[in-house]
Amino acid sequence: MTDFTTRPEIRGTFGVATSTHWIASAVGFGILEKGGNAFDAAVATGFALQIVEPHLNGPAGDLPIIYHSADRNETKVICAQGVAPAAATIDHYKAQGLTLIPGSGLLSTVVPGAFDGWLLLLRDHGTMTLREVLQPAIDYARDGHPMLPRVANTIAGLADYFAAEWPTSAAVWTPDGKAPKANEMFKNRDLAATYDRLASEAEASGQDRVVQIDTARAAWSSGFVAKAIFEYLETAEVHDVSEQKNRAVLAPEDMANWSASYEDSLSYSYHGWTIHKTAPWSQGPVLLQALAILKHFDLGAMDPIGDEFVHTVIEAMKLAYADREAYYGDPAHSQIPMDYLLSDDYNAARAKLITEQASLEQRPGRAPGFEHLADAYIARAVRDFGVADAAPQEPTMAHLTEKRGDTVHLDVIDRWGNMVSATPSGGWLQSNPVVPGLGFPLNSRAQMFWLEEGLPTSLAPGRRPRTTLTPSMAEKDGTRVAFGTPGGDQQDQWQLIWFLRFVHHGFDLQEGMDAPLFHSMHFQGSFFPREAKPGEMMIEPNVGEGTIEALRKRGHIVTVADPWTVGRLTAALRHPDGALRAAATPRLMQAYAVGR
């Protein structure tokens, strides 16, 4: 255990809500105080995050949810990851002169998913009306909220671009032609009006709560929201990072025919814990693969901030992420050898690849019958290592540019034992121009597809992009914990480190977040321009110079981050006796856990 933490671990019995913004956490806990359950609170928190962190998520973005229902005693996944439009073919994109899908703009837009995912959770598991859970977001959008300095900086850096290329964004984010100042009150009246109309149309359908929610879902997918989107897209040609103007391929039928859905979680047993993740349409299984490799090491005997621990975990990450790049994709469209990738024999062999020195190679495993995918990844990685040095489109943290989008996270537990872990993202203010009259932009998640045939991640109509969004839930002997973080390709790296220290070293929730974090940049990134940095890793300086120098001697190319800039974890836990705990990272000074 560590000798220092930045804040107390929240403890209680009534309920806990934790998220990447204090206002959203307070909104969620307020719903619990009003008698709502964890599902109601999670939805209200999620919508509030769209208002207070618009550079990190929005209603037209993406959403994976892992939840536990106490009444049903089940842990399930809601997939609200929208699919590629019917007209999104590789030939179409190549005809535009592209070899990669741009990281912004209309060509990178898939079906918006987040709104429908939240409403599916509310309809089937919540107790409150849409109006009740939407009203806090409406109020903050209409009446104003204190603008985060990072949001203000992001908008300031894009103000000239918005004015020149995305005038509908300029109208919302730079009212009166001026970028908002840090901490001043900011309003998005168009988004408030959109949410208010959705709630009003729901109420006009009658008193039945389920009918109201389904009415709002229809208003979104084929009603006034969809109408506004496609009236805009009919003539819009948008400048993006490809340095050309492109039109969307998203069509009305794409939105009208898609809805969020339920899935079983993918689980793995590790030292008595059962860890639940999403299927390989996300990167979620990569954490399970890393655990399957690390099962063969005595991590508990290692110093949790020493070079042996850091080196071993980094090398396991490299192996797991190589498999992610080779094999993961939408299992509804591709066969994914997940059982083999999590098998004991396979991971025992993978563990033997870890030596005392850092590997500089990309080493996907050889899954029988799928060897061609490993070969394709190696060829692609070698080809693309020559890409000019540039930061990934989704940031690590504050040490990268403010102009790139990221993600938010929330965890909620109520007094009955219901739990939600969710990682909303996409639809950033940087991703696309604001849709006129609606107050929000479309997403840019299609950038995660490849414009090459024959891969699980090849662009194809109706296919889900292999997202980085990856909430977590784990259970052991009646204790359950929900956790997660923003951070693109780093999400399952930071979660893995936190979980290992929790399991092996006795760190409590807050200690694990305050302890120094690290991650690898070795593998090919998920975001435009899809860069890899062989052997490179980043670590916070409070591990100490001794650890940093020892890692360099092992062959790692170490970048030392600014203090307190890596990771944005939150977590919530429930013991069998009903005792609750929660924590939130101090990094960026905005995440908070609330509870009693």
Side-chain angles (χ1 to χ4, degrees), residues 34-160:
K34 292 176 182 177
N37 63 20
F39 308 112
D40 300 312
V43 175
T45 303
F47 281 118
L49 285 168
Q50 294 172 6
I51 306 302
V52 297
E53 296 195 273
H55 62 318
L56 307 181
N57 78 133
D62 328 275
L63 172 66
I65 302 170
I66 301 179
Y67 70 87
H68 178 77
S69 170
D71 287 344
R72 303 179 190 182
N73 192 29
E74 67 176 11
T75 301
K76 299 278 284 187
V77 168
I78 288 180
C79 174
Q81 174 55 62
V83 300
T89 65
I90 291 175
D91 287 345
H92 176 81
Y93 284 68
K94 286 188 172 180
Q96 315 307 311
L98 299 170
T99 57
L100 287 175
I101 297 175
S104 64
L106 297 178
L107 272 180
S108 64
T109 298
V110 300
V111 175
F115 181 84
D116 195 67
W118 285 127
L119 265 62
L120 183 64
L121 181 69
L122 179 68
R123 185 194 71 179
D124 293 348
H125 300 281
T127 64
M128 290 184 161
T129 65
L130 179 61
R131 170 69 70 180
E132 288 174 306
V133 299
L134 260 184
Q135 195 61 50
I138 294 170
D139 292 341
Y140 279 113
R142 182 193 61 226
D143 302 330
H145 62 90
M147 173 68 77
L148 284 172
R150 285 181 63 81
V151 185
N153 291 342
T154 299
I155 294 172
L158 290 165
D160 291 343

Side-chain angles (χ1 to χ4, degrees), residues 394-551:
E394 186 162 308
T396 301
M397 286 291 292
H399 39 270
L400 297 182
T401 173
E402 300 274 9
K403 297 181 182 180
R404 308 197 189 280
D406 198 349
T407 304
V408 297
H409 184 79
L410 63 93
D411 302 294
V412 182
I413 309 176
D414 63 30
R415 61 189 183 273
W416 301 288
N418 300 305
M419 302 177 66
V420 178
S421 182
T423 310
S425 187
W428 313 307
L429 65 85
Q430 312 91 305
S431 62
N432 260 301
V434 168
V435 178
L438 294 183
F440 64 82
L442 297 172
N443 63 75
S444 55
R445 190 61 63 177
Q447 66 181 289
M448 310 187 85
F449 287 116
W450 289 101
L451 297 179
E452 299 176 28
E453 299 286 357
L455 307 174
T457 47
S458 299
L459 176 67
R463 177 175 283 179
R464 288 172 286 187
R466 192 217 67 214
T467 179
T468 54
L469 309 176
T470 174
S472 299
M473 199 168 284
E475 57 183 304
K476 179 183 180 182
D477 300 330
T479 293
R480 289 189 171 87
V481 60
F483 56 101
T485 179
D489 291 312
Q490 289 77 44
Q491 288 181 29
D492 274 317
Q493 300 191 63
W494 298 333
Q495 292 182 68
L496 173 68
I497 298 160
W498 178 88
F499 185 69
L500 291 172
R501 289 168 172 164
F502 172 74
V503 170
H504 292 293
H505 303 104
F507 283 33
D508 70 21
L509 307 187
Q510 191 64 50
E511 286 175 316
M513 289 171 197
D514 291 352
L517 291 168
F518 55 88
H519 60 263
S520 172
M521 294 100 84
H522 173 82
F523 50 86
Q524 200 149 30
S526 298
F527 292 84
F528 182 91
R530 311 305 293 267
E531 186 186 22
K533 298 181 178 181
E536 295 195 29
M537 61 169 290
M538 180 171 284
I539 196 165
E540 291 185 302
N542 49 337
V543 293
E545 278 298 323
T547 294
I548 293 168
E549 288 308 309
L551 289 168

Side-chain angles (χ1 to χ4, degrees), residues 277-333:
K277 298 292 287 184
T278 50
W281 51 265
S282 81
Q283 73 175 357
V286 79
L287 186 145
L288 306 183
Q289 283 198 247
L291 291 174
I293 295 168
L294 292 168
K295 183 184 287 187
H296 300 278
F297 296 87
D298 186 4
L299 297 178
M302 300 179 188
D303 178 352
I305 60 171
D307 68 286
E308 184 183 15
F309 176 83
V310 175
H311 168 77
T312 304
V313 173
I314 283 281
E315 293 304 297
M317 289 173 177
K318 291 177 183 177
L319 295 170
Y321 274 82
D323 282 353
R324 182 198 74 166
E325 285 305 295
Y327 298 115
Y328 289 16
D330 186 348
H333 284 251

Side-chain angles (χ1 to χ4, degrees), residues 209-228:
R209 192 184 72 89
V210 170
V211 172
Q212 286 187 3
I213 294 169
D214 280 338
T215 297
R217 295 174 75 193
W220 172 273
S221 64
S222 57
F224 81 92
V225 173
K227 181 180 179 182

